[in-house]
Amino acid sequence: MIAKKKSSRFNSINHDEILDLVIIGGGITGASILWDATLRGMKSVLVEKNDFTSGTSQATSKLIHGGLRYLKNGEISLVRESLRERRILAKLTPHSIRPLGFQLPVYSLKNKIVLGLGLTLYDLLSYDKNFELNSDTIIPNHKFLDIATTQNLNENIYREKLKGSFLYFDYANINPERHTSEFIFSAKNRGGRAFNYTEVISFQKKDDLFEVEILDKLSKAKQILKSRTIVNASGPWADLVDGFSGKPSPTNLVRSKGIHVVLDCHFSPYTHVVQTKEKTHLFIIPWRGKTILGTTDSIYKGDPDSFEVTKNDIWKLLEEANEYINYPFTINSVKYFYGGMRPLVDDSRDSNSTETYSLSRKTSIEDHESSGLKGYFTALGGKYTTSRNLAEKVVDKISVLLYGNKKSCLTENIPLDSGNFSDIPSLSSELRKEFVGESIEKIYFLTQRYGSLTRKILNNKSNKKGDSFRLPNGEHFFEEEIEYSIKNEEIHFITDLLFRRSGIGTTGMLSEYDWNKFVMIYLKYSGKKNIEKEIVREIQKRYMLIP
């Protein structure tokens, strides 16, 4: 039976409203689909059973890249697609993206020739890489560095038989958790609707409509959504969601486990790429004054709801890295860790294999019409970088189904709410003139994090002089941005703010002094009296404070 009470969070949905689209999953794929569908005028609702971007999208290597390694598999079209989308994301959200160098050491003439040819092709495939971009996001072609320059850039590199190194550029995605949520909140500001902590319990098709039963996990209230179409964008949970239909999932989903650790060191100014004996790659990535080490790539066969990163996983990753560099990564250097599951699709895969590194990152859109579920689609695979293009393809299909033609996709040219500016220096200059009393430091940090949203943050503060605190890496955070996020960005628990909207907690544990200041600000605007014990335990676990 459906509970009579209705969640107040669902007040924007009328009982008899017929939706065009329900999106299941609040990662980058679902967020991009909501943004695209909303811009095309579709009445759309996104639901996510946990917090937005709490699954695969928070577990990336924090890169926007073309996928150089896919060239060796002959996946030229995938690399070209990725490079094209890399440029588009830099144009739409320039504050979230930073040019980042990648250093590939060379130890043989053959290695130099192969890498040189691959990088030349990579540059050719990215012929339009700087088109319509501002000076903040322009990236150069690759170049070869001699031995001396290579060693000067990275003193920890193995020197035996070293011939030099190649340097090429992709982008760092400084805060993919926030970046993802910006697609959702930009869509909401244009009439789209999205609910975190809202779980799909079941769905069925009646005549030409789907009835989707959802549960507000916060209030325990239920609601029925009536929609003409559904997109399953739940990533590693996709086959389980497909099962709600009562029909076997046609999708051959492979879950790949990937973990990263954030280390309290600054290894190199560029990402150092390590090729292992198994011909896989590890990345040692400079990030916010710290170093990210990752990623693993192995099959995960367990319940996706039970996924976790173990200390053994972390030990193995550190030990593997230490085989290939002259720098001792230790467990004591780990200040934060994260992991997730990649949803990959491969019909030809050996069922006994435990390796997922070589599987393609191509996208897959499953149309369930042959199962009697016309209007139900499952979107899978792909990479964070290509999510906008995947969304375009999905919404094209929905547009043809609903209207008989493709409504024009607008996401290639319309920036998110945070990306509506020319370049950071110009934006900062405008804001300094507009907010004369604000410090240069505050405007610097806010524009780096929020782009053109900085104006809203400074305009909407409820007090003249807010408090502030610092992270261990020196970044300065301000009361105004915490207030803005709590009031506008669906913050229900302190972890939503700490790990996903702000990035405050992802470089390591704050000092006791700064932690107390952060908590006091959070409690002030959230209206809560204290932090739930289970949330405190989750925070401690992320920092490896629980044995």
Side-chain angles (χ1 to χ4, degrees), residues 57-116:
S57 298
Q58 60 82 36
T60 74
S61 296
K62 304 189 188 298
L63 302 174
I64 300 294
H65 65 104
L68 175 65
R69 73 179 179 88
Y70 306 133
L71 287 177
K72 73 175 184 179
N73 298 332
E75 296 183 284
I76 293 177
S77 61
L78 174 61
V79 175
R80 171 56 195 156
E81 176 195 7
S82 300
L83 290 168
R84 176 176 178 273
E85 294 302 313
R86 180 188 71 176
R87 178 187 65 82
I88 293 172
L89 286 177
K91 181 176 70 170
L92 300 180
T93 57
H95 63 293
S96 299
I97 308 296
R98 305 281 189 279
L100 177 63
F102 289 72
Q103 192 175 13
L104 293 164
V106 173
Y107 292 97
S108 69
L109 178 60
K110 178 182 177 182
N111 189 216
K112 181 179 180 180
I113 293 171
V114 171
L115 285 175

Side-chain angles (χ1 to χ4, degrees), residues 280-322:
T280 62
H281 289 87
L282 286 176
F283 291 95
I284 305 172
I285 307 166
W287 177 74
R288 295 173 64 191
K290 305 287 184 178
T291 293
I292 293 176
L293 175 62
T295 177
T296 62
D297 210 325
S298 59
I299 192 168
Y300 179 77
K301 293 186 176 181
D303 179 354
D305 285 326
S306 300
F307 176 90
E308 65 176 1
V309 178
T310 66
K311 248 184 181 176
N312 190 48
D313 291 330
I314 294 170
W315 273 113
K316 285 183 178 180
L317 180 58
L318 294 174
E319 287 174 357
E320 184 173 24
N322 284 331

Side-chain angles (χ1 to χ4, degrees), residues 235-282:
W237 289 265
D239 54 344
L240 303 180
V241 172
D242 284 348
F244 290 153
S245 67
K247 301 179 184 295
S249 172
T251 305
N252 185 11
L253 175 65
V254 178
R255 297 180 181 91
S256 169
K257 181 175 184 176
I259 70 165
H260 298 77
V261 293
V262 176
L263 301 161
D264 193 21
C265 64
H266 189 60
F267 182 80
S268 169
Y270 297 126
T271 293
H272 181 63
V273 184
V274 173
Q275 184 175 40
T276 69
K277 297 170 185 174
E278 291 75 27
K279 304 301 181 182
T280 62
H281 289 87
L282 286 176

Side-chain angles (χ1 to χ4, degrees), residues 483-499:
E483 176 189 5
Y484 177 86
S485 190
I486 291 173
K487 290 181 176 179
N488 297 280
E489 296 182 340
E490 301 295 334
I491 303 296
H492 298 287
F493 302 101
I494 196 170
T495 45
D496 302 338
L497 178 61
L498 187 66
F499 297 131

